[in-house]
């Protein structure tokens, strides 16, 4: 099937979806969806002729049709989830199966004061007016075919609102779990996370798979940090070797808010995560770190766009890329500084390691600075493991494989060891080691 | 113990070793001296199995076992230790983990049972104290941010932990101030033992005031052209290498 035929299949599914939508949506949402579909029809899927997509091979999502997922019963018991859950202490988890909120698998009935969370579909049915501002925020509008597709046909997702009295140790895990199914599914979560003024919060979003399914997750997440909010956010994309994942995240940060975010993607047939951070008021700060890793014929792409729209804003990016086999990694880190703003500090480092001659990583820092009072440091490297270090380790009796594993562990440790709290770090290391050991 | 016979080696098409003959017996310390580029470092790297060198003729055996047929890690298992002139920094790998991994890797190669965490730690701590290093060095990353002297002492810490039969120490005196040189030299002296042979590659005689060698060899243009007792080092300090180079030519 070619991209146009796939696009046509989504037009058809959109009409069915609109007719079947169980809870009648408010008129503004119907218009919003229809407008997005119209734009998707005109724009189509992005292509490699577009600068922002020139390294991506999109065939895994544009040349096969995916069927919009339906709520399904997968016969899981809450205890089946134990190995996938991070919370050993205080916190709550929301579980989504094929994109649909699964209340019976989720826990967190005794929510602290000021915390509201649950499925987006229910939220929309209960109080659409509350969601209107976030959904119509012009700063956070889609800008390519995939986000339009989500906007036209999102079904469910996470709604999380965290209030100022929250204990900072209290952790929310959003667990997106894809199940095995006969048909490859189109899974479209629409997530909204709001961190209220002065709140310190921790959110971990994990995308995992129960089988070896080749579903396509097309996610769109809006993150709003109010004045003085502090969010520690970890995104873990680990849906297995066949997973397709295109995620778009838009962050808007008010004055003096701090976002500490870890972005981790372990393989997948095609994984692309976009993060746009708008530092829209003075004192806003974001610190992003993460790892993209690809092996076999996997493709992982991080597209970051940090926008210094106000004076006295700060951003740091520290990323690692690892590619083995025929794996491909893409790192595009854009930093944009608005004309006339002052006292900007921005740093970006990306280090990339190739473990096979066929592996490839394209690392592209992109600085667009339209102001003078800017301290900006960036660096990008791509290379093989240090031969000298390998020989050093082997001369001490370590075989080549163990020596390499130690160097890789050290290389990714820079970013993997930043997760808080400790059980999260351990969980991440376990998942990473499992990924390295998988064929 | 170590027997090197007619060893020739090249980097690419460029010959560097041109027929090295050398024998070390257990308990002996030999110093290998010579001008820059004479092949001293190449010899120890070839013996340790560094990739990039091509052995074109000759033999090297340790206790009768052919070293040259082995991978670097197998040579380590056979008892070879190379002390690096420029120890490699490996940020993110802790010294403790590195020493423990290496110690147990060597024990497996020697057919010995692996040590558990506390036995490992005990062994490593003892080695650390014997070299005169602080325990805190174990929680740092391997060589990362170490001073020149610390790096060299750290090589000796690895040697003390791994207890090799044959230590090839490549210019352990380079880049050290006089205090660091004294500490490193005393460390080497403490690691002498009746079952262990040490080959010290050095430019200068300074270190040999502390570590008095049993034999001194002079290498010029890839061959050992002169061997003698420890007095030879002092003579070289006085006369330089010029007269030997003329003779060799």
């Amino acid at each position: 099937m070619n991209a146009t035929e796939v696009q046509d299949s989504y037009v058809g599914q959109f009409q069915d979806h609109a007719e079947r939508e169980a809870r009648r949506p408010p008129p503004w949402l119907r218009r919003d969806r229809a407008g997005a579909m119209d734009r998707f029809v005109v724009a189509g899927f992005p292509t490699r002729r577009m600068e922002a997509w020139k390294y991506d091979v999109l065939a895994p999502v544009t040349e096969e049709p995916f069927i919009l997922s339906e709520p399904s019963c997968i016969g899981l018991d809450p205890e089946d989830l134990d190995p996938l859950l991070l919370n050993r202490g205080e916190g709550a988890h929301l579980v989504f199966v094929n994109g649909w909120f699964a209340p019976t698998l989720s826990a967190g009935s005794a929510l602290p004061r000021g915390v509201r969370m649950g499925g987006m579909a229910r939220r929309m049915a209960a109080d659409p007016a509350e969601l209107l501002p976030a959904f119509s925020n012009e700063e956070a509008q889609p800008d390519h075919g995939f986000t339009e597709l989500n906007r036209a046909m999102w079904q469910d997702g996470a709604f999380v609102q965290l209030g100022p009295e929250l204990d900072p140790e209290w952790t929310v895990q959003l667990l997106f779990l894809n199940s095995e199914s006969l048909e490859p599914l189109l899974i479209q979560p629409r997530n909204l996370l709001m961190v209220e003024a002065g709140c310190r919060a921790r959110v971990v979003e994990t995308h995992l798979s129960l089988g070896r399914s080749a579903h396509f997750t097309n996610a769109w997440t809006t993150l709003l940090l109010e004045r003085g909010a502090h969010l520690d956010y970890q995104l873990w994309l680990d849906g297995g070797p066949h997973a397709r994942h295109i995620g778009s995240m838009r962050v808007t940060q008010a004055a003096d808010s701090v976002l500490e975010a870890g972005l981790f993607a372990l393989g997948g047939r095609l994984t692309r995560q976009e993060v746009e951070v708008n530092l829209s008021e003075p004192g806003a700060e974001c610190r992003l770190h993460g790892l993209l890793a690809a092996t076999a014929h996997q493709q992982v792409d991080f597209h970051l766009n940090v926008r210094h729209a106000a004076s006295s804003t700060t951003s740091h990016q520290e990323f690692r890329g690892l590619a083995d086999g025929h794996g491909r990694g893409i790192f595009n880190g854009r930093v944009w500084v608005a004309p006339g703003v002052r006292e900007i500090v921005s740093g970006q480092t990306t280090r990339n390691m190739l473990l096979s001659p066929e592996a490839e990583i394209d690392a592209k820092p992109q600085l667009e600075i339209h102001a003078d009072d800017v301290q900006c440091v960036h660096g990008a490297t791509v290379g093989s493991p240090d031969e000298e270090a390998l020989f050093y380790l082997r001369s001490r009796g370590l075989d080549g494989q163990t020596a390499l594993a130690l160097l890789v562990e050290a290389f990714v440790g820079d970013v993997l060891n930043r997760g808080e709290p400790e059980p999260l770090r351990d969980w991440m290391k376990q998942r990473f080691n499992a990924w390295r050991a998988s064929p | 113990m170590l027997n090197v016979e007619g060893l020739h080696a090249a980097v690419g098409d460029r010959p560097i070793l041109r027929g090295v003959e050398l024998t070390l017996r257990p308990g002996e310390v030999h110093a290998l001296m010579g001008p820059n580029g004479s092949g001293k470092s190449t010899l120890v790297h070839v013996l340790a199995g560094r990739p990039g060198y091509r052995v074109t003729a000759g033999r090297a055996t340790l206790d009768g076992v052919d070293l040259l047929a082995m991978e670097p890690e197998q040579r380590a298992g056979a008892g070879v230790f190379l002390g690096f002139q420029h120890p490699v920094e490996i940020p993110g790998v802790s010294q403790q983990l590195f020493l423990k991994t290496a110690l147990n890797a060597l024990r497996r190669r020697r057919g010995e049972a692996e040590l558990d965490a506390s036995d490992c730690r005990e062994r490593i701590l003892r080695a650390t104290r014997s070299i005169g290093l602080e325990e805190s060095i174990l929680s740092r990353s391997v060589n990362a941010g170490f001073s020149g002297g610390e790096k060299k002492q750290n090589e000796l810490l690895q040697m003390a932990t791994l207890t090799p039969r044959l230590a090839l120490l490549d210019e352990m005196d380079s880049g050290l101030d006089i205090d660091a040189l004294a500490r490193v030299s005393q460390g080497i002296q403490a690691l002498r033992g009746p079952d262990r042979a040490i080959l010290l590659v050095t430019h200068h005689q300074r270190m040999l005031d502390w570590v008095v060698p049993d034999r001194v060899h002079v290498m010029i243009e890839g061959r050992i052209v002169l061997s003698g007792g420890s007095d030879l080092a002092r003579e070289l300090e006085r006369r330089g290498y010029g007269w030997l180079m003329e003779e060799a030519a």
Side-chain angles (χ1 to χ4, degrees):
Chain A
M1 216 178 234
N2 65 31
T4 311
E5 290 165 335
V6 172
Q7 199 182 339
D8 289 346
S9 90
Y10 290 142
V11 174
Q13 291 190 55
F14 173 74
Q15 282 152 0
D16 294 347
H17 172 257
E19 283 164 21
R20 277 184 295 123
E21 205 160 34
R23 302 185 180 86
R24 303 314 302 167
W28 66 262
L29 181 59
R30 269 207 303 276
R31 280 196 302 277
D32 198 71
R33 289 188 184 284
M37 198 64 204
D38 289 346
R39 288 188 300 276
F40 171 67
V41 168
V42 173
F45 294 113
T47 70
R48 298 184 76 177
R49 285 190 296 278
M50 298 167 161
E51 181 62 26
W53 298 82
K54 71 174 181 183
Y55 294 110
D56 295 279
V57 178
L58 292 171
V61 292
T62 58
E63 295 183 5
E64 295 172 42
F66 295 85
I67 310 301
L68 203 55
S69 90
E70 295 289 336
S72 57
C73 179
I74 55 167
L76 270 182
D77 290 324
E79 47 271 28
D80 294 339
L81 298 178
D82 276 352
L84 308 176
L85 294 175
L86 307 162
N87 281 329
R88 295 294 180 265
E90 285 292 287
H93 55 268
L94 301 185
V95 179
F96 300 82
V97 177
N98 297 336
W100 292 91
F101 180 49
T104 53
L105 297 174
S106 302
S109 47
L111 294 183
R113 208 145 64 98
V115 172
R116 293 196 306 155
M117 54 191 199
M120 182 64 87
R122 288 173 176 221
R123 196 71 239 146
M124 183 60 84
D127 189 359
E130 181 190 35
L131 296 173
L132 178 60
F135 275 63
S136 60
N137 174 6
E138 283 307 316
E139 246 186 25
Q141 291 316 306
D143 62 2
H144 56 69
F146 292 110
T147 37
E148 296 290 9
L149 188 62
N150 178 294
R151 194 176 186 183
M153 290 200 282
W154 67 267
Q155 304 134 296
D156 204 351
F159 170 85
V160 178
Q161 185 176 21
L162 303 169
E165 290 164 46
L166 191 62
D167 174 355
E169 297 300 308
W170 201 83
T171 304
V172 181
Q173 182 182 3
L174 307 176
L175 171 56
F176 288 86
L177 202 53
N178 290 352
S179 72
E180 196 81 69
S181 71
L182 291 174
E183 290 170 320
L185 299 176
L186 174 63
I187 294 162
Q188 300 211 102
R190 175 76 177 89
N191 304 317
L192 175 62
L193 278 78
M194 294 181 288
V195 189
E196 294 182 354
C199 171
R200 290 181 69 90
R202 184 180 285 153
V203 175
V204 182
E205 179 179 338
T206 49
H207 290 255
L208 307 171
S209 177
L210 288 173
R212 297 174 63 80
S213 53
H215 302 322
F216 172 26
T217 299
N218 180 33
W220 184 18
T221 299
T222 303
L223 208 57
L224 302 173
L225 274 71
E226 292 184 1
R227 173 181 284 269
H230 188 130
L231 177 65
D232 183 331
Y233 170 85
Q234 308 286 327
L235 177 64
W236 187 269
L237 305 175
D238 189 4
H242 305 291
R244 279 90 165 140
H245 182 108
I246 291 190
S248 300
M249 184 160 93
R250 303 292 170 89
V251 187
T252 305
Q253 290 190 237
D256 302 320
S257 62
V258 178
L259 172 68
E260 180 92 50
L263 312 171
F264 299 89
L266 302 187
R269 183 70 185 83
L270 168 64
T271 300
R272 175 176 163 126
Q273 181 65 44
E274 295 182 2
V275 178
E276 179 182 299
V277 182
N278 290 289
L279 300 168
S280 49
E281 292 178 6
E285 176 176 351
C286 73
R287 297 193 289 265
L288 312 176
H289 66 270
L291 168 71
L292 58 87
T295 185
H297 283 85
Q298 301 169 352
Q299 184 184 196
V300 179
D301 178 358
F302 279 170
H303 250 74
L304 310 179
N305 182 9
V306 174
R307 297 170 59 83
H308 290 265
S311 293
S312 305
T313 49
T314 303
S315 68
H316 293 285
Q317 299 177 38
E318 178 80 43
F319 282 84
R320 297 286 176 271
L322 185 70
D324 203 349
H326 287 78
R328 288 197 60 215
I330 300 151
F331 176 87
N332 190 301
R334 180 172 182 252
V335 175
W336 178 83
V337 178
V341 298
R342 298 179 56 247
E343 294 181 337
I344 302 299
V345 178
S346 173
Q348 181 190 78
T349 308
T350 161
R351 286 172 53 206
N352 301 282
M353 187 184 271
L354 303 176
L355 297 178
S356 82
E358 291 81 23
E360 180 182 330
I361 295 182
D362 298 292
K364 190 179 158 205
Q366 194 183 341
L367 307 176
E368 293 173 31
I369 298 173
H370 306 284
D372 299 327
D373 186 3
V374 174
Q375 280 181 50
C376 191
V377 185
H378 71 99
T381 60
V382 181
S384 304
D386 183 356
E387 290 292 334
E388 187 71 14
L390 280 173
F391 173 61
Y392 190 67
L393 295 172
R394 292 178 69 193
S395 77
R396 302 306 187 239
L398 278 64
D399 61 68
Q401 219 180 340
T402 308
L404 182 62
L406 205 56
L407 291 186
V408 167
E409 192 183 318
F411 178 73
V412 300
D414 275 1
V415 289
L416 271 186
N417 289 331
R418 291 184 186 206
E420 286 290 343
E422 201 180 337
L424 173 64
R425 280 202 297 279
D426 295 343
W427 185 90
M428 286 179 165
K429 278 189 231 168
Q430 269 170 27
R431 296 287 312 189
F432 176 77
N433 290 337
W435 176 79
R436 279 288 289 157
S438 64
Chain B
M1 183 177 186
L2 174 69
N3 271 299
V4 180
E5 297 165 31
L7 187 63
H8 287 68
V11 173
D13 291 331
R14 192 163 55 93
I16 300 188
L17 301 183
R18 304 158 188 261
V20 177
E21 307 282 339
L22 182 67
T23 301
L24 269 77
R25 292 182 192 81
E28 289 182 345
V29 173
H30 289 205
L32 182 60
M33 304 182 75
N36 277 333
S38 59
K40 309 182 298 291
S41 290
T42 297
L43 174 63
V44 291
H45 283 124
V46 166
L47 292 176
R50 184 196 198 82
Y53 294 99
R54 199 159 49 86
V55 173
T56 50
R59 290 163 42 82
T61 58
L62 183 67
D63 299 326
V65 180
D66 180 10
L67 279 181
L68 302 178
M70 292 192 252
E71 294 295 327
E73 56 270 31
Q74 295 170 321
R75 300 183 199 203
V80 176
F81 177 88
L82 174 64
F84 282 58
Q85 182 187 357
H86 301 292
V88 183
E89 298 196 9
I90 313 180
V93 175
S94 84
Q95 294 253 104
Q96 179 74 37
L97 172 69
F98 169 49
L99 289 168
K100 176 171 172 267
T101 309
L103 180 57
N104 276 330
L106 284 186
R107 291 183 67 88
R108 276 198 306 277
R109 289 186 188 283
R110 296 197 287 242
E112 297 164 2
E114 289 190 28
L115 296 178
D116 64 21
S118 77
D119 285 349
C120 258
R121 180 152 181 84
E122 185 48 43
R123 175 81 66 103
I124 293 165
L125 278 176
R126 231 183 304 139
T128 309
R129 287 187 214 110
S130 76
I131 302 302
L133 284 165
E134 297 288 326
E135 221 176 280
S136 58
I137 202 153
L138 298 175
S139 52
R140 294 166 68 184
S141 288
V142 177
N143 292 320
F146 284 24
S147 70
E150 282 176 328
K151 282 184 181 171
K152 300 295 168 74
Q153 280 184 287
N154 199 39
E155 294 295 284
L156 298 181
L157 164 58
Q158 293 168 43
M159 180 175 160
T161 306
L162 303 178
T163 60
R165 295 261 289 139
L166 171 69
L168 308 164
L169 303 181
D170 189 13
E171 303 204 18
M172 300 299 281
D173 49 357
S174 68
L176 299 187
D177 63 33
I178 199 76
D179 293 335
L181 180 67
R183 282 195 297 276
V184 169
S185 304
Q186 285 156 7
I188 296 172
Q189 185 63 20
L191 286 165
R192 289 176 91 147
D195 299 324
R196 175 175 296 154
I198 299 177
L199 181 63
L200 283 178
V201 173
T202 177
H203 266 296
H204 308 289
Q205 189 259 333
R206 299 187 297 177
M207 178 174 264
L208 305 182
D209 287 340
W210 279 286
V211 188
V212 179
D214 300 293
R215 299 283 289 165
V216 175
H217 308 280
V218 184
M219 181 175 269
I220 288 177
E221 292 183 355
R223 276 189 212 97
I224 291 176
V225 298
L226 184 66
S227 299
S230 59
D231 292 347
L232 177 57
R234 276 185 214 102
E235 188 180 352
L236 291 169
E237 186 78 359
R238 202 159 29 85
R239 295 181 67 187
Y241 296 112
W243 57 287
L244 284 166
M245 291 169 84
E246 279 162 29
E247 279 180 21

